[in-house]
């Protein structure tokens, strides 16, 4: 049985990846940090799986990661943990650097010492392209990050490449464009829209307050994207890949479709601009070119943008109906 170690297992991607690997017959070990109230909501369906073990640790605590890897001796390591909310990275730039940048080196150092034959996946981001130098963006597009988060991810990307080249480790960087799901955190714009629109439909809210509606993102489905992570580690050669749909849509379009799906009609009746959601520096346009992943990994997205919005709104309508207060 193969063994996989996942940092960030309680997050959107970590929870889907753990499920995916358990279904493939892996033994899965998930790093979780100590919190005063448990946050296992996203892994509640798999928490009692006999092949899942949770390990206590934190990206800022080198020893917790090194000891975990010494004990487990995993075949595959997926480093998904990060301070992943772009807006918060201006409010907590130092913490973002510690978790999202230096945290990567800590996991790589632990692997180098404890299990150098393992395969390593780093969760890199299209935020690294920021003020884009090229449209669409591919593996060779130069980076121009626009937030402390984006800067930290550029560090994480290059330290992964550096460890691959310096120590001959199997270390890959997946440059993933935005990917969403009903498990997305409520602070990200897609889930904020799907959830608030559902609440408006059920009479729990009257308006939706948002920032910039004109930025454009290449939005895919998280379940498809965790499969791409796994595929990258099944190759003979470590390499970096862009994972994207190749389509871009504005936040406004997401809102328009979400209102239509919920049967609310014109979004302008509910939308209010609130400048507190605007960013000091914006990423205006992201659109990825996934040709390399399609050719080498035989990966492609399975659902369209409209299907993604529909799936998220319908799930939030169900969720808000169940939690009727
Ligand atoms: P997420 O839902 O925010 O999950 C982040 C995970 O990291 C959570 O499990 C969190 O634990 C954990 N974590 C944060 N700080 C930690 C620390 N100091 N020590 C240990 N664990 C820590 O993020 P996601 O959407 O699943 O994204 C997964 C990864 O992909 C992230 O690195 C993100 O930056 C990157 N990424 C995401 C996207 C996207 O569109 N989703 C695109 C490109 C790249 P708690 O539950 O305890 O907070
Ligand atoms: O949903 P967002 O917060 O995602 P963002 O900044 O694109 O980052 C996400 O994708 C990255 C990949 O490119 C990941 F690396 C990162 O971890 C994260 O998962 O914002 C999307 C857009 C932005 O342009 C933002 O200004 O939506 C705009 N927006 C408008 N109103 C809003 C809001 N974003 C949020 N979160 N909340 C709003 O009220």
């Amino acid at each position: 049985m193969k063994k996989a170690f996942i940092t960030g297992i309680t997050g959107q991607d970590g929870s889907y990846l753990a499920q995916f690997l358990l279904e493939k017959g892996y033994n899965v070990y998930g790093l979780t940090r100590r919190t005063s109230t448990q946050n296992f909501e996203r892994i509640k369906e798999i928490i009692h799986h006999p092949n899942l073990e949770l390990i206590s640790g934190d990206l800022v605590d080198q020893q917790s990661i090194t000891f975990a890897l010494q004990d487990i001796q995993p075949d595959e390591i997926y480093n998904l943990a990060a301070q992943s909310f772009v807006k918060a990275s201006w409010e907590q730039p130092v913490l973002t650097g510690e978790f999202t940048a230096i945290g990567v080196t800590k996991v790589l150092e632990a692997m180098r010492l404890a299990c150098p034959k393992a395969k390593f996946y780093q969760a890199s981001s299209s935020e690294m392209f920021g003020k884009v130098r090229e449209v669409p963006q591919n593996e060779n597009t130069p980076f121009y990050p626009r937030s402390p988060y984006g800067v930290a991810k550029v560090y994480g990307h290059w330290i992964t490449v550096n460890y691959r080249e310096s120590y001959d480790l199997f270390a890959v960087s997946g440059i993933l464009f935005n990917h969403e799901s009903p498990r997305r955190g409520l602070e990200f714009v897609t889930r904020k829209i799907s959830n608030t629109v559902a609440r408006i439909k059920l009479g729990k809210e009257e308006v939706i307050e948002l920032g910039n509606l004109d930025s454009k993102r290449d939005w895919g489905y998280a379940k498809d994207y965790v499969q791409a992570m796994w595929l990258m580690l099944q190759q003979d050669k470590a390499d970096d890949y862009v994972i994207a749909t190749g389509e871009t849509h504005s936040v406004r379009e997401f809102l328009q479709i979400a209102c239509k799906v919920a049967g609310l009609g014109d979004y302008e009746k509910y939308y209010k601009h609130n400048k507190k959601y605007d960013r000091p520096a914006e990423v205006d346009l992201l659109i990825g070119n996934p040709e390399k992943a399609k050719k080498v990994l035989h990966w492609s997205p399975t659902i369209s943008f409209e299907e993604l919005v529909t799936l998220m709104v319908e799930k939030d309508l169900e969720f808000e109906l169940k939690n009727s207060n």
Side-chain angles (χ1 to χ4, degrees), residues 13 79-80 82 100 104 120-129 143 149-150 152-161 172-179 225 229 232 240-243:
D13 291 4
N79 183 39
L80 309 187
T100 307
V104 186
F120 174 86
Y121 173 86
Q122 166 57 16
S124 290
S125 164
S126 50
E127 270 293 300
M128 300 190 301
F129 297 122
F143 301 139
Y149 169 84
K153 282 288 179 187
V154 171
Y155 174 92
H157 170 81
W158 282 118
I159 200 71
T160 303
V161 173
V172 311
S173 169
I175 306 175
L176 272 51
F177 281 64
N178 298 51
H179 45 279
Y225 285 46
M229 296 175 188
M232 286 179 219
D240 308 322
Y241 297 88
V242 156
I243 301 297

Side-chain angles (χ1 to χ4, degrees), residues 237-276:
K237 184 175 158 280
D239 204 351
D240 308 322
Y241 297 88
V242 156
I243 301 297
T245 69
E247 265 186 43
T248 193
H249 297 275
S250 65
V251 174
R252 188 185 308 278
E253 281 175 83
F254 197 104
L255 178 60
Q256 269 166 343
I257 298 175
C259 286
K260 194 177 88 189
V261 171
L264 290 176
D266 184 6
Y267 80 92
E268 291 196 32
K269 287 190 280 181
Y270 309 98
Y271 161 68
K272 212 171 131 190
H273 179 254
N274 186 333
K275 65 179 183 338
K276 95 172 176 201

Side-chain angles (χ1 to χ4, degrees), residues 59 77 242 316:
L59 278 191
I77 299 169
V242 156
D316 265 321

Side-chain angles (χ1 to χ4, degrees), residues 174-238:
I175 306 175
L176 272 51
F177 281 64
N178 298 51
H179 45 279
E180 317 294 317
S181 76
R183 291 189 193 169
R184 187 59 140 153
L186 284 163
E187 67 276 34
F188 297 92
V189 79
T190 55
R191 182 77 201 288
K192 179 174 173 183
I193 292 174
S194 65
N195 184 262
T196 312
V197 159
R199 290 175 64 80
I200 293 173
K201 176 69 180 175
L202 298 172
K204 298 181 183 186
E205 304 267 1
E206 289 180 354
V207 292
I208 177 160
E209 294 192 3
L210 293 164
N212 177 18
L213 293 193
D214 295 319
S215 58
K216 291 180 146 186
R217 292 289 181 274
D218 180 328
W219 275 299
Y221 182 33
K223 267 192 166 180
D224 289 341
Y225 285 46
V226 300
Q227 191 203 9
M229 296 175 188
W230 175 77
L231 284 169
M232 286 179 219
L233 296 197
Q234 308 317 304
Q235 305 307 304
D236 292 332
K237 184 175 158 280

